[in-house]
Amino acid sequence: AEKAAAEKAAAEKAAAEAAWAAGAAERAAQRAAEEKEAARHAEELLAEVEAEKRAKGKKGKKKKKGGGGGAGPSQEPEDEAALATGEEAELAAALEESARLEEGRRAAEAQGPSSAAEAPAPREEEPPDDYVCSITHEVMSDPVMAADGYAYERSAIERWLATKSTSPMTGEALEHTFLSPSHMVRRQIREWQQAHPGQ
């Protein structure tokens, strides 16, 4: 019953970690797409404003050369001011949206370390199950083979066998309590640890 509960808890933890990692990747991709769209929109608005300023500059120069009418020159500055105000409002809105998206991205990054306590970072590679003791649930440093054919951390299985004569994995009675060192598993664990420093 303990084994089944532990396996169920491990499976639930693995499923939660996988869901968290998938969700984090999806959220990051969505944020990147939103930021890219906001930046593109802001660039388009800036380009439009610049193009209109250039067009107005040319138009103003032509009117100055031609002399212009009585009502025309006095009305043009009002139109330009209204147009510039509208363009500035659009540009400000686009910049606000870009700033809001950037702030959201930073807030999500700031939350990252706190949620890392709940689940490991998606980039960390979990050790193979064969390298993890089923009693301690940690990577083994002194793996030994028991009569049930499974490898365990020496100190953990010795404590187990001090009070029980059954397999921690299967629950069945062990034929003997002799433990043999598993040199091959130890070497594989060390190689894996060298390839994944800090694990």
Side-chain angles (χ1 to χ4, degrees):
E2 289 178 21
K3 179 187 165 206
E7 288 176 352
K8 182 179 178 185
E12 288 173 355
K13 181 182 175 187
E17 290 171 354
W20 181 86
E26 187 176 311
R27 287 187 299 275
Q30 185 176 0
R31 277 193 308 273
E34 289 172 353
E35 289 172 9
K36 185 176 179 182
E37 179 63 22
R40 185 190 61 78
H41 185 63
E43 287 175 8
E44 286 178 357
L45 286 174
L46 284 172
E48 287 176 13
V49 168
E50 290 298 319
E52 288 176 7
K53 282 182 182 178
R54 283 192 299 268
K56 287 177 189 171
K58 289 178 184 177
K59 187 177 178 182
K61 287 179 186 175
K62 286 181 185 177
K63 286 197 174 192
K64 287 179 185 174
K65 286 180 184 175
S74 63
Q75 194 173 2
E76 187 178 322
E78 290 175 12
D79 291 343
E80 283 182 26
L83 190 57
T85 303
E87 290 168 353
E88 287 174 8
E90 278 187 60
L91 183 58
L95 292 174
E96 276 183 39
E97 177 69 9
S98 180
R100 185 187 63 77
L101 290 172
E102 180 65 19
E103 188 176 313
R105 183 186 64 78
R106 287 184 184 148
E109 285 177 357
Q111 276 185 335
S114 65
S115 56
E118 298 169 15
R123 291 185 196 108
E124 289 183 13
E125 186 177 332
E126 291 294 320
D129 291 339
D130 293 341
Y131 300 172
V132 177
C133 175
S134 61
I135 298 172
T136 64
H137 301 290
E138 295 177 1
V139 176
M140 295 179 280
S141 60
D142 186 12
V144 292
M145 193 67 66
D148 61 359
Y150 291 98
Y152 302 95
E153 179 64 36
R154 180 181 296 277
S155 59
I157 191 67
E158 285 175 346
R159 281 192 313 269
W160 177 275
L161 293 175
T163 59
K164 302 172 181 74
S165 60
T166 58
S167 164
M169 289 294 287
T170 64
E172 296 178 13
L174 294 171
E175 291 179 22
H176 58 80
T177 58
F178 176 74
L179 302 172
S180 61
S182 185
H183 299 292
M184 185 175 72
V185 173
R186 181 183 299 148
R187 186 179 69 248
Q188 290 172 340
I189 290 171
R190 286 188 182 149
E191 289 172 358
W192 183 85
Q193 288 173 327
Q194 287 173 354
H196 301 85
Q199 298 267 340

